[in-house]
Amino acid sequence: MLVKSQLICLGFSFLFSFSYTVYVYISFVFIYIYIYLFFLLFQCVSFDPIAFRQAQTMAFAIDEINRNPNLLSNVTLGYSLYDTCIELSIGFRAAMSLISGRAGVMASEETCVGLPVIGIVGDSFSTSSIAISRVLGLYRVPLVSYFATCSCLSDREQFPSFFRTIPSDSFQVRAMIQILKHFGWAWAVLRLRDDDYGVHAARAFLSDFGPIAGGCLSYVEVLPWGDNRAELKRIVSVMKKSTARVVIVFALRSHMLNLMAEVVRQNLTGLQWMASEAWTSIAELQTSDFMPYLGGTLGIAIRRGEISGLRNFLLKIRPLPLRNNTFERNMVNQFWEHIFKCRFAPPPAGWLETGGRLCTGQEFIETVLEKDVFDTSDLRPEYNVYKAVYALAHALDDMLQCEPGRGPFSGDTCAHLQRLEPWQLMFYLEKVNFTTSFGDQVSFDENGDALPIYDIVNWVWLPDGSIRVHNVGEVKRSAKNGEELTIDEDKIFWNFPPRSVCSESCPPGTRMAHKRGEPECCFDCVSCSEGKFSNTTDSMECTSCPEDFWSSPRRDHCVPKRTEFLSYHEPLGICLTTTSILGTLTCLVVLVIFIYYRRAEASLKWFGAVQQRGTVLVLTCFQAVICTVWLVLASPAPHKNTQYYSDKIVYECVIGSTIGFGILLGYISLLAVLSFVLAFMARNLPDSFNEAKLITFSMLIFCAVWVAFVPAYISSPGKYADAVEVFAILASSFGLLVALFGPKCYIILLRPERNTKKAIMGQRR
């Protein structure tokens, strides 16, 4: 049975009271949890009800934990609240007060004064968190932020005690890049605020956009602080001239309000806006004046969660009276003044005269017209506050479960409430792992970052003029599957068909050629050169075709090269073949004529018919030996020649052995020259029985043909070399046939009277 006893707090020491019975009286351990309120105006001159709701979410979470018998049983949590007023100096002094034990009065059932805190929830701004975390890290005091997203805070060496329940900007940037990649938006503009939040986001964008999505930024622009009309006018004018249609903005509410006011003045439409989590849910931008420009905006939003019972907790808020029914101007009372438009005494001078009224503290909160404070259907930063409080509570609960002698600290010891040190709580906070009632897992990695998850929201402009921001997907990182993007495109409302590229994609058959001095996304599409191809979109290089292939006319694939050879089916081959057949037939006719009209011409004494036939046979056999050796050792063969033409293969006959071919050609040339010399020397013999002139003329034709053949053969490409060789053989053969045997056949057939011994001997009458 738990009995609540009065707690006497002396620093970090706690007093345990034990009864004489079997019941144990356990004192209450207080964790001072600090949350910075998110005020949106400087100098604390106004009250922000949304930031107040975030503070009350922390109070609700602590109250819920204190009522939970399964979590921190026999331990009660307390808290202190400080308002930083969006001022680093104020927030820094408050943090120093908390860790030094000069935090003031704790909001709890008991009063503890002068105790240092062992856990802090805050700050909402990255710049403030950076400054505060550097000091808290020296003392290892855990700082759990619900809204600071700068990726620099993941550096464990600089911020060893920093944790957060909101994803870092590095993941937010990667989430945006995944969306850009999903929709094919490779050309974008980045606008940011000039602080750690914007600078680190820009750095991550510049390094990851290209490798992940193949995109690039047209330019990066820093938004001015305040309403700098001249600078804003220049910025919007640049946006008008840019070809990038997607605008990504990492900024706060004030930056966007000033920027959009100038966008409206210049009537800049046709842009697809992408919102960071800092302004994706700002109600002031979701108006009929801005929606013609911002309709269809896609935004990264903090994970929406449900906190059961929070609305009823908010509706039970009441002002806190002091002695004699006077009211202190504390946080709750300021909230009361804000929603009921009244003031607790003493009111400012002239307040009552201008129509103001005094607050009684008995107003009915259910009649409040400002419903946003009590609308718990879209809890986003509040859900992170809720998880941050529970993370500290679970860490403390895990610490209390430690068994003596089996602890994680020196000598296997456990931490003790009486002398608890912040670094001991941080040890357990690093290992915390639990699931919220909404079903989200909460744990921290080695950098103090929670498992990242974001909602993807879309700004919808409904036909009735109303505006709604609804979820269209999510992006998260899991331990098993890595980054996962889910988008339901059917739910997305577009102001216009979004498309944003610097250069259109290069089709197959072309390659990208980057423009000098332009971003990588700006390029020309250059057709692949002959013999190369590209079969994918946006190829960086063209690929050479295999040796036996050539690029198609569109350069998008390779086709087999055309083959060329001296064929019987082409005109040149037909002409040469016909000529060869005609020459063969002519030779046969001449042979038949000579056989048919053969009679006993008187034979020479020393060089008769036998010697003549023997000489022809020996010389022919010698030529046959040369040819046989050539064919056996290195015979000619067909060869695929790709040197003459790039787009086709020429089949040609290679001689095999240059020596063999040269010997054969030289031997034939030698016979021709000898025949020519002998015939030339016999030219002066009596004409009546001399055939030297015919032989001389035929040898002249033969030699002339083969002398002209050599350069013609060497210079002729491909099949024409074979044609030249065939032509040389035919020309020389026809030259011999016509010049040597033509006159003989003429006499035999047409002048038979001259085919007599007397006529041949040339006897004169």
Side-chain angles (χ1 to χ4, degrees):
M1 175 178 181
L2 173 63
V3 179
K4 291 187 177 180
S5 63
Q6 185 176 6
L7 177 63
I8 302 175
C9 302
L10 299 173
F12 271 105
S13 63
F14 298 87
L15 177 63
F16 287 86
S17 300
F18 298 93
S19 67
Y20 189 69
T21 62
V22 295
Y23 298 105
V24 180
Y25 295 84
I26 303 180
S27 28
F28 305 9
V29 179
F30 285 79
I31 299 178
Y32 297 87
I33 304 178
Y34 158 70
I35 184 170
Y36 295 131
L37 303 182
F38 186 13
F39 283 98
L40 299 178
L41 293 178
F42 291 92
Q43 305 304 324
C44 291
V45 296
S46 65
F47 185 83
D48 182 7
I50 303 302
F52 174 78
R53 184 174 67 185
Q54 296 171 11
Q56 290 303 307
T57 301
M58 184 208 69
F60 168 77
I62 292 176
D63 181 69
E64 188 177 64
I65 292 169
N66 288 336
R67 292 184 285 105
N68 187 349
N70 299 319
L71 183 62
L72 288 178
S73 59
N74 302 333
V75 176
T76 300
L77 302 179
Y79 61 91
S80 288
L81 295 174
Y82 273 79
D83 178 10
T84 67
C85 199
I86 317 183
E87 285 287 347
L88 174 59
S89 58
I90 298 176
F92 193 80
R93 287 197 301 269
M96 296 304 101
S97 298
L98 286 169
I99 63 174
S100 64
R102 298 191 298 272
V105 179
M106 179 189 298
S108 71
E109 296 181 4
E110 314 295 338
T111 299
C112 292
V113 180
L115 285 181
V117 301
I118 58 174
I120 298 178
V121 175
D123 186 289
S124 58
F125 290 98
S126 295
T127 300
S128 300
S129 295
I130 291 170
I132 296 171
S133 293
R134 291 188 188 277
V135 177
L136 295 183
L138 299 176
Y139 301 95
R140 295 301 190 267
V141 176
L143 177 69
V144 186
S145 177
Y146 63 95
F147 213 65
T149 59
C150 181
S151 57
C152 60
L153 288 165
S154 297
D155 187 345
R156 221 53 183 155
E157 292 185 359
Q158 297 189 57
F159 312 103
S161 64
F162 179 81
F163 300 83
R164 55 182 157 196
T165 54
I166 188 172
S168 72
D169 282 334
S170 61
F171 182 76
Q172 181 177 191
V173 167
R174 292 177 70 88
M176 284 190 170
I177 293 176
Q178 292 289 350
I179 297 173
L180 293 169
K181 180 181 180 181
H182 178 82
F183 291 107
W185 298 334
W187 187 230
V189 173
L190 178 62
R191 302 203 174 279
L192 49 96
R193 73 186 199 213
D194 188 14
D195 61 2
D196 294 289
Y197 173 72
V199 170
H200 284 85
R203 188 177 301 165
F205 226 106
L206 289 170
S207 63
D208 294 343
F209 192 19
I212 296 177
C216 50
L217 297 174
S218 175
Y219 57 92
V220 180
E221 195 84 61
V222 177
L223 296 174
W225 290 92
D227 188 13
N228 188 336
R229 289 288 303 277
E231 180 65 8
L232 290 170
K233 184 177 181 180
R234 182 196 66 80
I235 289 174
V236 177
S237 298
V238 173
M239 293 170 65
K240 273 188 171 182
K241 299 175 183 178
S242 175
T243 58
R245 298 289 87 193
V246 175
V247 181
I248 306 161
V249 184
F250 281 82
L252 294 179
R253 163 187 170 276
S254 58
H255 294 91
M256 282 304 300
L257 287 173
N258 294 332
L259 176 62
M260 291 311 301
E262 185 61 31
V263 168
V264 172
R265 279 191 288 268
Q266 296 195 31
N267 193 28
L268 177 56
T269 59
L271 297 179
Q272 175 62 48
W273 295 82
M274 289 192 68
S276 67
E277 42 77 27
W279 66 274
T280 191
S281 301
I282 300 299
E284 292 92 329
L285 294 170
Q286 300 163 15
T287 65
S288 57
D289 294 333
F290 290 139
M291 285 305 286
Y293 309 91
L294 290 176
T297 294
L298 287 175
I300 299 295
I302 299 172
R303 173 71 164 173
R304 186 190 70 84
E306 294 180 2
I307 305 177
S308 178
L310 178 60
R311 176 176 170 79
N312 293 333
F313 182 85
L314 295 174
L315 291 173
K316 293 178 181 179
I317 294 175
R318 293 294 182 271
L320 303 175
L322 295 178
R323 293 182 297 273
N324 301 323
N325 291 327
T326 61
F327 290 86
E328 180 187 11
R329 188 166 171 76
N330 57 28
M331 180 180 63
V332 174
N333 293 353
Q334 289 182 55
F335 166 71
W336 201 265
E337 290 178 341
H338 174 80
I339 62 175
F340 288 110
K341 311 303 180 193
C342 62
R343 292 297 294 263
F344 289 104
W351 172 266
L352 297 178
E353 289 77 4
T354 58
R357 63 185 182 87
L358 291 174
C359 297
T360 65
Q362 302 302 317
E363 290 83 0
F364 290 99
I365 201 169
E366 291 80 1
T367 63
V368 175
L369 297 178
E370 190 171 348
K371 302 297 184 182
D372 289 344
V373 181
F374 306 105
D375 183 9
T376 59
S377 62
D378 191 41
L379 300 176
R380 296 185 185 276
E382 295 82 359
Y383 186 46
N384 281 344
V385 173
Y386 185 79
K387 290 190 290 187
V389 175
Y390 264 88
L392 284 167
H394 276 276
L396 184 58
D397 186 67
D398 291 341
M399 184 189 72
L400 295 178
Q401 304 301 322
C402 178
E403 299 180 10
R406 306 177 71 176
F409 305 120
S410 177
D412 297 332
T413 59
C414 298
H416 296 281
L417 291 177
Q418 293 90 338
R419 51 184 181 275
L420 178 63
E421 296 288 343
W423 63 267
Q424 294 174 317
L425 180 64
M426 192 184 79
F427 173 84
Y428 285 96
L429 190 59
E430 291 174 341
K431 302 181 181 303
V432 76
N433 192 336
F434 66 96
T435 303
T436 67
S437 57
F438 190 61
D440 289 334
Q441 182 184 0
V442 179
S443 63
F444 300 104
D445 62 15
E446 64 277 5
N447 298 319
D449 294 325
L451 285 176
I453 181 170
Y454 274 119
D455 289 335
I456 302 172
V457 298
N458 178 231
W459 292 18
V460 183
W461 198 4
L462 299 175
D464 60 359
S466 61
I467 299 159
R468 182 163 60 93
V469 178
H470 68 156
N471 282 16
V472 295
E474 69 176 19
V475 58
K476 63 182 179 181
R477 179 185 297 151
S478 62
K480 294 182 179 179
N481 302 323
E483 293 180 7
E484 299 178 17
L485 173 68
T486 305
I487 295 182
D488 189 349
E489 295 189 37
D490 295 334
K491 292 183 179 180
I492 298 179
F493 166 80
W494 303 110
N495 247 3
F496 67 99
R499 180 168 177 79
S500 184
V501 293
C502 181
S503 300
E504 294 295 333
S505 294
C506 291
T510 63
R511 64 174 178 85
M512 295 190 300
H514 292 296
K515 298 179 180 178
R516 180 174 296 180
E518 296 288 334
E520 292 185 359
C521 292
C522 301
F523 50 83
D524 294 321
C525 296
V526 180
S527 179
C528 293
S529 58
E530 291 185 346
K532 295 186 176 182
F533 76 101
S534 66
N535 56 3
T536 59
T537 303
D538 291 336
S539 295
M540 295 297 297
E541 297 291 340
C542 296
T543 305
S544 298
C545 290
E547 183 180 5
D548 292 348
F549 290 81
W550 193 248
S551 54
S552 64
R554 299 182 63 178
R555 309 288 196 271
D556 56 355
H557 66 284
C558 291
V559 296
K561 287 183 177 180
R562 294 182 293 117
T563 57
E564 182 180 88
F565 55 91
L566 190 58
S567 171
Y568 292 107
H569 305 290
E570 60 178 306
L572 181 60
I574 293 173
C575 291
L576 294 176
T577 303
T578 302
T579 304
S580 299
I581 295 174
L582 180 61
T584 302
L585 294 176
T586 304
C587 291
L588 290 175
V589 169
V590 171
L591 178 61
V592 169
I593 291 174
F594 271 64
I595 293 175
Y596 182 78
Y597 290 98
R598 177 179 178 276
R599 298 191 184 96
E601 301 208 318
S603 60
L604 297 177
K605 181 177 181 181
W606 299 105
F607 201 72
V610 175
Q611 289 82 358
Q612 295 175 18
R613 294 189 184 101
T615 301
V616 172
L617 181 61
V618 170
L619 295 176
T620 303
C621 289
F622 189 71
Q623 181 177 352
V625 170
I626 295 174
C627 292
T628 301
V629 173
W630 178 25
L631 294 177
V632 170
L633 297 181
S635 62
H639 170 67
K640 294 191 299 183
N641 194 318
T642 59
Q643 303 301 317
Y644 297 134
Y645 306 100
S646 300
D647 59 342
K648 60 184 177 181
I649 300 174
V650 176
Y651 281 92
E652 59 184 8
C653 181
V654 293
I655 58 178
S657 173
T658 304
I659 297 176
F661 180 71
I663 293 175
L664 178 63
L665 194 62
Y667 178 72
I668 296 175
S669 301
L670 176 62
L671 294 179
V673 170
L674 289 176
S675 298
F676 173 74
V677 170
L678 292 175
F680 182 78
M681 292 175 63
R683 70 186 186 281
N684 294 324
L685 293 176
D687 292 341
S688 56
F689 61 91
N690 186 16
E691 295 184 4
K693 290 183 179 180
L694 299 180
I695 296 174
T696 301
F697 186 65
S698 64
M699 287 299 101
L700 279 174
I701 295 175
F702 184 89
C703 292
V705 168
W706 284 100
V707 168
F709 159 76
V710 174
Y713 181 83
I714 294 175
S715 61
S716 297
K719 66 179 182 180
Y720 298 103
D722 298 329
V724 167
E725 185 174 3
V726 174
F727 178 80
I729 295 173
L730 292 176
S732 58
S733 300
F734 270 99
L736 292 174
L737 183 64
V738 173
L740 189 59
F741 294 96
K744 297 180 182 297
C745 292
Y746 171 77
I747 293 175
I748 292 172
L749 297 177
L750 300 179
R751 303 295 295 271
E753 69 278 6
R754 296 180 58 182
N755 191 19
T756 61
K757 183 177 181 180
K758 183 184 294 187
I760 293 174
M761 296 301 294
Q763 292 180 355
R764 296 180 179 178
R765 296 179 186 266

